Amino acid sequence: MTRLVFFCGHAGTGKTSLAKHLIGPLARATGEPFCLLDKDTLYGRTGAATLAALGQDPHDRDSPLFLHHLRDPEYQGMLDTARENLALGVSVLAVGPLSREVRERRLLDRQWLGVAEDVALAAVWVCADEQTAQQRIVARAHPGDDWKLAHWDEYRQRRFEPEGAQRDDLIVFDTTAPTQADYDALLQRLAGAS
């Protein structure tokens, strides 16, 4: 069996840190090989170079140009890479905000994802209280966060928490102050997903 597990949520919630924390224990618990695909690692440099070549701020992932022309190809590239790994028998932890996909309930839609029935799917919505997320963004001092910090009131209006049907199949994990028991429970849930 292979698994495709999404870690999604807003900036500063700890998506990548959580995936890195779980990848080893998950591989040991399932006996399966895993790889980590972080959208920013895969496409951050390419996106920055593209924006710069077009005369834009290379780190502005909130610009209309990025959101309308680069965002979706980056996600499709991540999914293409995930499918290649799955076909090779390697399970995937895929990390990215994916907020639009959560709103549209696509992360567990096999047809949209293009994955077979024998791939176990899970989507973890990683959240943290706004103050914690903002502090983490400040602490990491990444140029891609400059717009968010300079326009926090505008950015925070885009933050949302899935509700109703959007939340039905998501695993919600709050990284504000998780305990080891919280990590263990998430690990067991992901290891048991089928």
Side-chain angles (χ1 to χ4, degrees):
M1 173 194 295
T2 53
R3 301 165 195 272
L4 174 55
V5 182
F6 292 99
F7 289 83
C8 47
H10 299 297
T13 56
K15 301 177 294 294
T16 303
S17 296
L18 180 60
K20 287 179 177 179
H21 182 82
L22 291 174
I23 193 166
L26 193 54
R28 287 188 293 279
T30 62
E32 302 162 12
F34 278 81
C35 72
L36 175 70
L37 301 179
D38 184 308
K39 186 183 82 68
D40 289 341
T41 303
L42 289 168
Y43 299 106
R45 291 179 188 271
T46 303
T50 302
L51 289 169
L54 295 171
Q56 304 294 307
D57 178 345
H59 302 292
D60 189 355
R61 299 300 192 275
D62 297 283
S63 70
L65 178 75
F66 178 82
L67 294 173
H68 295 295
H69 299 287
L70 300 175
R71 178 200 184 275
D72 289 348
E74 286 187 359
Y75 281 124
Q76 287 304 315
M78 183 173 74
L79 289 175
D80 291 343
T81 306
R83 283 190 295 272
E84 286 185 348
N85 278 277
L86 293 167
L88 294 169
V90 178
S91 293
V92 176
L93 302 186
V95 181
L98 293 154
S99 54
R100 185 183 309 160
E101 291 73 14
V102 168
R103 282 190 179 104
E104 295 172 357
R105 300 185 68 199
R106 290 186 168 192
L107 293 185
L108 302 177
D109 179 340
R110 289 181 186 282
Q111 184 175 356
W112 184 79
L113 293 170
V115 298
E117 290 294 324
D118 62 346
V119 175
L121 297 174
V124 181
W125 178 259
V126 184
C127 58
D129 67 55
E130 183 181 332
Q131 181 179 2
T132 298
Q134 187 177 26
Q135 289 170 346
R136 289 175 181 166
I137 292 170
V138 169
R140 71 186 181 196
H142 189 280
D145 294 321
D146 289 350
W147 184 91
K148 291 176 184 68
L149 292 172
H151 303 88
W152 189 259
D153 286 338
E154 183 179 344
Y155 168 69
R156 68 191 300 265
Q157 299 304 313
R158 294 195 341 227
R159 289 174 48 101
F160 80 104
E161 291 301 320
E163 296 178 347
Q166 294 170 337
R167 194 176 175 114
D168 283 350
D169 299 317
L170 294 175
I171 300 168
V172 177
F173 191 84
D174 190 332
T175 64
T176 304
T179 65
Q180 187 58 49
D182 295 327
Y183 287 119
D184 292 344
L186 178 58
L187 174 64
Q188 291 305 314
R189 188 160 178 192
L190 293 176
S194 58

